Amino acid sequence: MRIKQLDYIVKIVELGSINEAAKHLFITQPSLSTAVKELELEMGIQIFQRTQRGMILTTEGTEFLSYARQILEQVDLMEEKYKGTETRRRLFSVSAQHYAFAVHAFVQLIKSYEKNEYEFTFRETQTNNIIEDVSTFQSELGILYLNTFNEKVIRKLLKEKQLIFHPLFTAQPHVFVSKKNPLVGKTSVTLSDLENFPYLSFEQGQFNSFHFSEEILSTLYHKKSIRVSDRATLFNFLIGLDGYTISSGVLSRELNDENIVALPLEVDEVMEIGWIHPAQMSLSPMGEEYLRYLKEHIIDYGFTILTNE
């Protein structure tokens, strides 16, 4: 078994395609296929199931990937210590609901590696995609929320995908509005206060179930409703249309538009925001580092990190 073969396995999993992996590795597809088959033969396991949709990890392959990543991380640490040089591009991916604090932590992580070669991916995406990305190892971890309404459905799906939810913090629901919105100045707002304002939410594609919504109270009827696919567009509509959206209330001072403010929403609901990760794998050092930045940022905004993981 060679270190290079472990690199090949990790790259195939990250890209979900042996053809794409071969392009990124600058080798031919037949050469990559042969290297994988030789490794499978040597280890006496089948790492990948070859399907029309691409290369899918088997149960044995999932366990092997966990060991492969740990070996590669240790090799990196040894080479940094004794060679004093970077020999491998830093690779890291996160999938998340549309939370600015998650982006801010990712920015901090990237800055800590600005002298290195790296290939980082941050996917602000739909709820089901987050779960799928993490379960197929396209992302090392995912960030989403649970509450009394969606918890049963989401936890069932996580269990099926062999993922674990780790709570980070709880938040009382807030509404994001433009600082010019007539409601600004109130200490809190009610649902009746919001009745005549356009309601903005993130679309969930073919999984547009109430349980996959990024916003609590997703079953409520709204006179005026607008779905969007990205956070920048949502904020533009908040400002341009005096609209509102429901979220955790955590706004990044560095990354969010200064024209957006958060107002407490008077409802008997709590959001538990956390991260998901494959049950059979431990976080990489880079994953641990990102999680540390994430927690620091959350604490900076006055929230208490939950410790009952």
Side-chain angles (χ1 to χ4, degrees):
M1 182 178 66
R2 301 185 301 277
I3 296 298
K4 186 175 291 186
Q5 287 175 304
L6 302 184
D7 273 326
Y8 291 170
I9 299 299
V10 170
K11 180 59 70 175
I12 293 169
V13 172
E14 287 172 349
L15 297 177
S17 162
I18 197 164
N19 290 328
E20 288 302 313
K23 292 177 186 176
H24 279 70
L25 293 165
F26 301 105
I27 61 175
T28 64
Q29 187 270 331
S31 296
L32 181 54
S33 295
T34 299
V36 171
K37 288 177 182 177
E38 288 176 350
L39 182 60
E40 289 178 320
L41 185 62
E42 181 182 354
M43 294 293 104
I45 62 173
Q46 182 180 356
I47 299 173
F48 291 107
Q49 179 183 355
R50 284 95 175 150
T51 72
Q52 291 183 342
R53 294 186 300 158
M55 304 283 275
I56 299 174
L57 280 172
T58 63
T59 302
E60 290 175 320
T62 298
E63 184 178 26
F64 182 84
L65 177 67
S66 176
Y67 285 112
R69 281 178 165 158
Q70 291 177 47
I71 291 169
L72 291 174
E73 287 158 9
Q74 292 303 313
V75 170
D76 278 343
L77 292 173
M78 289 177 64
E79 289 178 340
E80 285 177 18
K81 180 175 177 64
Y82 295 108
K83 290 185 176 180
T85 58
E86 289 294 327
T87 59
R88 210 183 322 274
R89 285 167 66 86
R90 298 293 185 172
L91 303 172
F92 185 64
S93 299
V94 169
S95 294
Q97 291 178 329
H98 297 76
Y99 297 130
F101 62 83
V103 177
H104 190 188
F106 205 77
V107 169
Q108 290 176 288
L109 177 72
I110 294 173
K111 284 182 176 179
S112 71
Y113 290 94
E114 60 186 3
K115 294 181 180 179
N116 306 104
E117 289 189 19
Y118 57 75
E119 185 177 322
F120 291 158
T121 305
F122 188 90
R123 302 178 179 92
E124 253 187 359
T125 186
Q126 297 164 354
T127 303
N128 187 74
N129 290 347
I130 296 169
I131 296 171
E132 193 65 25
D133 287 348
V134 178
S135 68
T136 58
F137 305 98
Q138 300 302 302
S139 287
E140 182 169 338
L141 59 87
I143 301 168
L144 46 75
Y145 86 94
L146 299 179
N147 72 341
T148 53
F149 176 73
N150 74 1
E151 183 171 13
K152 187 174 181 180
V153 171
I154 298 297
R155 283 196 183 277
K156 181 177 182 293
L157 183 56
L158 294 179
K159 185 177 181 180
E160 291 172 357
K161 300 286 187 178
Q162 296 184 301
L163 303 176
I164 297 177
F165 177 85
H166 304 266
L168 279 169
F169 68 105
T170 58
Q172 300 296 324
H174 285 63
V175 294
F176 289 164
V177 296
S178 161
K179 70 178 183 180
K180 295 181 180 179
N181 189 290
L183 296 174
V184 172
K186 294 175 70 72
T187 55
S188 62
V189 295
T190 65
L191 292 173
S192 59
D193 291 331
L194 300 166
E195 225 173 24
N196 294 315
F197 293 94
Y199 167 70
L200 292 146
S201 62
F202 290 106
E203 66 173 355
Q204 296 298 324
Q206 62 178 325
F207 292 91
N208 204 30
S209 158
F210 292 131
H211 294 97
F212 286 85
S213 173
E214 291 189 41
E215 302 80 22
I216 65 164
L217 307 172
S218 56
T219 58
L220 289 181
Y221 172 76
H222 302 276
K223 293 180 182 178
K224 305 170 183 177
S225 180
I226 304 169
R227 287 199 181 105
V228 299
S229 59
D230 68 89
R231 190 156 39 91
T233 300
L234 183 140
F235 280 5
N236 287 337
F237 282 148
L238 293 186
I239 297 169
L241 299 173
D242 269 340
Y244 75 94
T245 191
I246 302 175
S247 190
S248 64
V250 186
L251 279 167
S252 170
R253 289 183 288 267
E254 290 83 358
L255 302 180
N256 278 338
D257 194 306
E258 62 181 8
N259 293 312
I260 304 298
V261 298
L263 302 174
L265 179 61
E266 295 180 22
V267 291
D268 188 22
E269 293 278 351
V270 175
M271 301 172 67
E272 185 175 64
I273 299 171
W275 58 283
I276 60 173
H277 187 255
Q280 67 273 37
M281 292 180 65
S282 57
L283 277 181
S284 68
M286 196 171 293
E288 294 282 5
E289 186 176 355
Y290 174 70
L291 198 58
R292 186 173 70 251
Y293 288 132
L294 197 62
K295 291 178 178 179
E296 289 173 358
H297 190 49
I298 290 166
I299 291 171
D300 184 50
Y301 277 85
F303 294 88
T304 301
I305 296 297
L306 299 174
T307 57
N308 58 332
E309 295 188 11

